[in-house]
Amino acid sequence: MTAMATTTIPEGAALYRLLAWLSPAYPVGAYTYSHGLERAVEDGSVTGRAALVDYVATVLRAGAGRVDGALLVAAWRAAAAQDEAALDEVAGLAAAWRGTAETALETMAQGTAFVSVTQAAWPDPRFAAFAARHPRALAHPVAFGAAAGFQGIPPRPSVAGWLAAFAANLVSAGVRLVPLGQTDGQVATATLHPVVEAAADAALAADLDTLGTAAPMLDLLSMRHETQYTRLFRS
C-alpha cells in the first residue's frame, strides 16, 4: 500500500466524467448483451412491461447487480486508498464470481473496452498500472470503480449511476425483444428508480466476505441462451 492522498477534482468535473462514462455513447458494447433476457422472452416468461421490470429488479436485488455493485464499491475504496493488494484481490474475485460463460463474457468484454477507452480519453497512471497487472481481465464494475476511485468521483453516485446504466441497458434490450414502445421503456426505467437506489445502498453496506446471491433462474436462462437457435444478443 502506498500512502497517497486521493485525487480531488471539482464537483462539476467529477459529474462530467461520470456522465461521460455512463453514456450509451461510451463504447463498451453494452447494447450487445441482454443478461439472459433474450431467453426469458423466447420462453414466454417476459411478455410485457411489468414482467420486464420484475426481471431487471431481480437482477439488481439478487443477481449480478447485487454482486457487481459491491465489487464496484470495494474497487473504489481500494483505489481511493491506493491499496494495490486490495484492488488486485477484488479484481480476482470479480473474475471468478460469474455463474455462466456468457455472463463472464459480458462483464469481461465490457471491462476490457472500458479500460481501453478510459485510458485514451481520461488517462491516469495509477489506473494504467492497475490495468497492466490484469490485461484483458478486469470485470466492468471493478474497472469502473477503480477509475472512479482514482479520479475522485464519489462512491455513491458512482455505484448508483453504474447500476442505473446497467438497468437501463436491460430495459433497452427488453424494448427491442418483447417488443415494447419507447414510452413503455421509459416508464419501466422510472419504475426501477427505487430498486436502483436500494441496490446502491446495499452495495455501499456490503461485506465481500459474506456477500452472496440467490437467483438460480437467471443463471439457467443464461445457460440456455448459449444454445438458443436465433439470437440478437451475446448473452
Side-chain angles (χ1 to χ4, degrees):
M1 176 175 176
T2 304
M4 294 176 63
T6 302
T7 299
T8 300
I9 60 177
E11 182 178 350
L15 178 60
Y16 188 85
R17 294 183 194 203
L18 184 60
L19 291 175
W21 296 354
L22 294 171
S23 168
Y26 213 65
V28 297
Y31 68 92
T32 64
Y33 302 97
S34 82
H35 205 77
L37 178 60
E38 186 168 28
R39 183 74 229 189
V41 173
E42 176 76 10
D43 289 350
S45 300
V46 175
T47 58
R49 187 178 75 206
L52 175 61
V53 169
D54 287 344
Y55 189 95
V56 179
T58 300
V59 174
L60 293 171
R61 290 181 178 131
R66 179 173 179 81
V67 170
D68 285 350
L71 290 167
L72 189 155
V73 172
W76 188 99
R77 289 171 175 158
Q82 308 291 323
D83 190 338
E84 293 183 354
L87 193 52
D88 289 344
E89 183 176 353
V90 175
L93 181 60
W97 210 338
R98 302 295 144 190
T100 70
E102 287 194 348
T103 54
L105 169 67
E106 181 179 284
T107 193
M108 290 302 180
Q110 290 186 71
T112 297
F114 179 85
V115 167
S116 177
V117 69
T118 302
Q119 290 195 111
W122 309 91
D124 182 290
R126 300 161 300 178
F127 184 68
F130 173 49
R133 296 197 302 272
H134 304 275
R136 304 184 67 84
L138 288 178
H140 189 202
V142 172
F144 190 98
F150 283 134
Q151 300 208 24
I153 302 173
R156 183 59 166 74
S158 294
V159 68
W162 191 90
L163 289 168
F166 182 27
N169 184 68
L170 295 186
V171 169
S172 177
V175 167
R176 286 172 278 168
L177 287 166
V178 172
L180 298 172
Q182 294 296 329
T183 299
D184 274 327
Q186 291 307 308
V187 172
T189 297
T191 303
L192 286 163
H193 176 225
V195 182
V196 170
E197 293 292 342
D201 290 338
L204 289 164
D207 178 356
L208 294 185
D209 289 335
T210 59
L211 184 67
T213 61
M217 185 55 69
L218 294 175
D219 285 341
L220 288 173
L221 288 167
S222 177
M223 292 175 189
R224 294 181 64 198
H225 185 265
E226 294 175 11
T227 57
Q228 187 169 324
Y229 180 71
T230 302
R231 301 188 301 173
L232 297 175
F233 296 87
R234 300 182 73 189
S235 71

